[in-house]
């Protein structure tokens, strides 16, 4: 006994020294904690020229896919680990929120699952009879709970700018800051009668304050409040969405907010889409809008098709009928949008 | 020097266990034997009922045909389990369970729900998945594997979704985390 005690003491102190001298010894404090994600693979080397044009076009995403599937850890949250079923993150709306192109949905953008953080980027172009729309934006999704988004829209009046007296090619610019919170329900799972329900806001700021006031708008910025319910009715392969929007935005806010004597009104956005496959969905949307400025602002409709080329890349093409914009009727045309999500 | 003495002393104090110790018996673990006929491990007794399948069945001959009849359905169930066992996202959850039984009971469940005239003899969804700590991400992975199995079997997408429509409400019983 007398020999063992000092022995153990020596061993312990040796071990102790070793441990304190070498801070690089890693250990996992909790046995069943999820393993630490391996370090992210270095970006893939530039892909050699691939034969198929499609492959070549998607090649730059290969590195991103590796990142997306391996995931990173940020404190207790999984970053970019993904996990959502294809298309269940929706596609970017004109205002940068997750939805169906024109209508906001109750979906949360990004590919993350509960406990994860995801993100997406998008770019959208709409070519109308007389106008051109370009928008792009970024979105962060937190679990299946919260979505924060920002989008910038540039609306080019082209030749019509002369007619409107603002100069050829004058562009209206709009910033939209969005937030959406899922209150209850699940898009896919749970009772068919219980949709995913979310509330949200969209705070918009026109960058053309003086001009939109001259057009009669009461303000250059405004905030929409939305309440959305969205459900994938698997038995019919149908996705149904309804959103109530409390808004005073003129043409989404491009032409400012409200007017003398015209404040917030309640408007409806509806979407109905049919799932052709895991990757493909076709649908139609309707969005009612106020006409505060008396410029015969119309409700919007679209027919859209969305396709998930990969887990991360979704493209949306649509035919849109936006009616009259700033008194110029017949604004129909094509809508094309690409979204990359992690 | 001190270290060597210590090590030697510690080694001398070790007592080797007797050869051929039956560790299972030592720790009170009863050996489970696969049933020679079915190849399944026995499970704790439970009440059998088609209600355990978790939903009412369809009554559509066309749907059954879309899945390739009973044989088709049973193959899809087995393939779903195989894909899941090989799926790094969820393989670990399946590793410690009886896959012979799961292939049979999942086949029965799908066959019953699609309306191909099987009886479901397994446990209800809540007790079958209790203590597994399943997440929605695990469920999505399983759904993708089931979709892959149905795709391989040539089941039209709308028919695939009709089956998923029966399973989706069960998420509440299966996902506990
Ligand atoms: C709605 C979705 C699901 C359905 C309809 C379902 C169906 C079933 C059925 C019928 C059984 C057999 C019960 C029995 O043998 O008595 C079972 C057991 C099992 N399930 Fe699921 N399951 C679902 C989700 C999941 C998920 C997401 C996982 C894991 C990723 C999973 C893993 C297992 C395992 C490991 C067993 C074996 C349990 C045991 O041997 O004790 N299941 N499931």
């Amino acid at each position: 006994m007398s020999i063992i005690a000092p022995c153990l003491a020596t061993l312990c102190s040796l071990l102790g020294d070793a441990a304190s001298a070498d801070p690089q010894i890693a250990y996992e404090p909790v046995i069943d904690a999820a393993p630490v994600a391996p370090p992210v693979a270095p970006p893939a080397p530039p892909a050699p020229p691939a034969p198929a044009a499609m492959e070549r076009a998607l090649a730059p995403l290969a590195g991103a896919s590796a990142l997306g599937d391996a995931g990173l850890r940020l404190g207790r949250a999984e970053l970019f680990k993904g996990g959502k079923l294809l298309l269940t993150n929706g596609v970017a709306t004109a205002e940068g929120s997750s939805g169906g192109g024109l209508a906001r949905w109750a979906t949360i953008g990004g590919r993350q699952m509960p406990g994860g953080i995801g993100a997406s980027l998008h770019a959208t172009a709409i070519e109308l009879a007389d106008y051109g729309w370009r928008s792009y934006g970024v979105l962060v999704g937190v679990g299946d709970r919260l979505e924060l988004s920002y989008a910038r829209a540039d609306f080019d009046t082209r030749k019509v700018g002369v007619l409107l007296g603002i100069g050829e090619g004058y562009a209206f610019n709009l910033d939209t800051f969005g937030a959406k919170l899922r209150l209850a329900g699940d898009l896919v799972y749970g009772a068919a009668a219980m949709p995913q329900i979310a509330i949200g806001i969209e705070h918009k700021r026109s960058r053309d304050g003086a001009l939109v006031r001259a057009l009669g708008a009461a303000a250059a910025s405004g905030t929409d409040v939305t309440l959305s319910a969205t459900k994938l009715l698997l038995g019919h392969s149908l996705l149904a969405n309804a959103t109530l929007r409390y808004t005073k935005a003129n043409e989404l806010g491009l032409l400012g907010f409200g007017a003398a004597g015209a404040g917030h009104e309640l408007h409806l956005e509806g979407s109905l889409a049919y799932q052709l496959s895991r990757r493909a969905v076709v649908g139609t949307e309707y969005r009612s809008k106020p006409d505060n400025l008396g410029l015969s602002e119309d409700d919007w409709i679209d027919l859209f098709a969305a396709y998930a080329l990969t887990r991360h890349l979704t493209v949306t093409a649509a035919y849109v009928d936006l009616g009259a914009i700033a008194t110029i009727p017949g604004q129909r045309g094509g809508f094309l949008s690409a979204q990359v999500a992690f | 020097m001190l270290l060597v003495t210590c090590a030697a002393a510690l080694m001398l104090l070790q007592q080797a266990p007797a050869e051929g110790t039956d560790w299972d018996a030592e720790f009170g673990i009863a050996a489970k034997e696969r049933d020679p006929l079915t190849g399944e491990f026995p499970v704790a007794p439970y009440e059998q009922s088609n209600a355990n399948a978790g939903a009412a069945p369809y009554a559509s001959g066309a749907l059954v045909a879309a899945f390739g009849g009973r044989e088709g359905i049973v193959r899809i169930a087995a393939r779903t389990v195989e894909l899941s066992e090989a799926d790094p996202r969820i393989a670990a959850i399946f590793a410690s369970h009886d896959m012979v039984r799961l292939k049979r009971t999942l086949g029965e469940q799908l066959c019953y729900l699609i309306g191909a005239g099987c009886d479901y003899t397994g446990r209800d969804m809540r007790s079958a998945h209790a203590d597994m700590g399943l997440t929605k991400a695990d469920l999505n992975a399983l759904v993708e594997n089931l979709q892959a199995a149905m795709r391989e079997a040539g089941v039209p997408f709308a028919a695939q979704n009709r089956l998923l429509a029966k399973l989706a409400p069960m998420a509440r019983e299966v996902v506990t985390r």
Side-chain angles (χ1 to χ4, degrees):
Chain A
M1 201 58 214
S2 56
I3 183 169
I4 296 173
C7 279
L8 285 178
T10 323
L11 270 176
C12 288
S13 67
L14 276 174
L15 288 173
D17 280 347
S20 59
D22 186 1
Q24 264 141 7
I25 291 181
Y27 64 94
E28 294 201 31
V30 184
I31 292 171
D32 64 354
V36 176
V40 188
M54 171 75 104
E55 257 173 53
R56 200 162 56 236
L58 296 178
L61 288 170
S65 302
L67 168 75
D69 293 338
L72 293 165
R73 232 161 206 292
L74 189 76
R76 292 181 56 191
E78 303 270 11
L79 194 59
F80 302 149
K81 185 159 180 273
K84 274 194 190 149
L85 295 173
L86 286 178
L87 296 173
T88 58
N89 53 333
V91 299
T93 65
E95 288 135 312
S97 155
S98 112
L102 293 184
R104 196 176 216 204
W105 292 356
T107 47
I108 299 296
R111 297 199 60 253
Q112 74 289 343
M113 298 305 293
I117 294 177
S120 69
L121 300 166
H122 83 274
T124 299
I126 311 177
E127 285 298 311
L128 299 168
D130 297 293
Y131 302 106
W133 163 296
R134 301 287 179 272
S135 60
Y136 39 94
V138 52
L139 173 156
V140 174
V142 181
D144 58 353
R145 189 57 70 184
L146 178 70
E147 169 190 297
L148 300 171
S149 58
Y150 165 75
R152 165 69 180 265
D154 303 319
F155 187 75
D156 189 340
T157 58
R158 300 193 171 157
K159 292 214 173 69
V160 168
V162 183
L163 215 73
L164 299 174
I166 49 180
E168 177 165 347
Y170 184 90
F172 290 91
N173 311 108
L174 181 72
D175 290 314
T176 303
F177 302 87
K180 194 196 298 174
L181 185 73
R182 184 183 66 87
L183 293 180
D186 189 294
L187 178 69
V188 181
Y189 300 118
M194 179 61 196
Q196 178 156 328
I197 298 170
I199 54 163
I201 55 162
E202 274 176 353
H203 177 69
K204 304 173 179 186
R205 309 182 76 86
S206 160
R207 294 189 171 230
D208 308 273
L211 179 57
V212 299
R213 279 198 194 84
L215 285 170
S221 69
T223 302
D224 295 354
V225 181
T226 60
L227 175 67
S228 311
T230 312
K231 188 74 183 179
L232 180 58
L233 301 162
L234 284 162
H236 302 97
S237 296
L238 278 179
L239 181 141
N241 168 72
T243 291
L244 285 174
R245 182 186 291 267
Y246 190 58
T247 181
K248 58 175 180 178
N250 310 322
E251 298 294 2
L252 306 194
L254 284 166
L255 303 185
F257 300 81
H264 279 88
E265 289 174 13
L266 207 51
H267 284 272
L268 177 74
E269 284 153 42
S271 319
L272 200 61
Y274 183 76
Q275 226 191 339
L276 293 169
S277 76
R278 267 181 346 132
R279 296 184 183 280
V281 61
V282 292
T284 181
E285 298 190 296
Y286 168 80
R287 175 168 179 170
S288 78
K289 289 163 56 254
D291 182 17
N292 297 327
L293 297 176
L295 298 176
S296 51
E297 178 168 346
D298 274 324
D299 297 349
W300 286 1
I301 50 177
D302 75 18
L303 295 171
F304 73 92
Y307 192 85
L309 283 164
T310 72
R311 281 180 186 277
H312 303 290
L313 178 62
T314 308
V315 290
T316 309
Y319 166 79
V320 295
D321 184 346
L322 308 188
I325 297 182
T327 70
I328 315 286
Q331 299 309 315
R332 296 178 200 96
F335 168 117
L336 197 62
S337 181
Q339 171 176 285
V340 181
F342 301 99
Chain B
M1 185 57 210
L2 181 61
L3 201 62
V4 176
T5 331
C6 282
L10 282 173
M11 274 161 80
L12 282 173
L13 284 169
Q14 292 276 335
Q15 205 177 33
E19 280 293 312
T21 307
D22 182 349
W23 292 111
D24 283 353
E26 209 76 0
F27 285 96
I29 297 170
K32 271 193 174 181
E33 299 279 353
R34 286 194 183 269
D35 184 302
L37 263 181
T38 62
E40 295 178 15
F41 287 118
V43 299
Y46 59 92
E47 205 174 314
Q48 283 188 9
S49 155
N50 277 332
N52 288 348
Y58 284 111
S60 154
L63 190 64
V64 175
F67 277 86
R70 274 192 211 183
E71 295 79 61
I73 296 168
V74 166
R75 240 190 332 264
I76 288 167
R79 182 73 182 133
T80 304
V81 174
E82 272 169 32
L83 288 170
S84 299
E85 286 181 272
D87 181 341
R89 296 174 294 179
I90 50 174
I93 303 169
F94 289 83
S96 52
H97 292 275
D98 182 354
M99 292 300 106
V100 178
R101 178 184 165 91
L102 180 57
K103 281 178 186 165
R104 174 178 64 83
T105 46
L106 186 63
E108 287 175 4
Q109 185 193 34
L110 301 190
C111 175
Y112 172 76
L113 294 175
I114 292 166
C118 305
D119 282 316
Y120 177 63
T121 66
R123 289 161 290 193
D124 68 276
M125 290 304 101
R126 194 179 295 281
S127 42
H129 301 90
D131 311 325
M132 276 190 217
L134 296 179
T135 65
K136 205 166 105 177
D138 299 330
L139 182 52
N140 280 355
L142 184 70
V143 166
E144 286 181 355
N145 295 337
L146 173 57
Q147 286 178 320
M150 293 190 288
R151 215 165 41 240
E152 283 176 19
V155 179
F157 188 72
Q160 295 183 20
N161 269 351
R162 291 190 75 192
L163 174 58
L164 293 183
K166 288 286 182 196
L167 305 182
M170 299 177 197
R172 284 169 301 186
E173 277 100 67
V174 168
V175 174
T176 53
R177 251 191 323 150

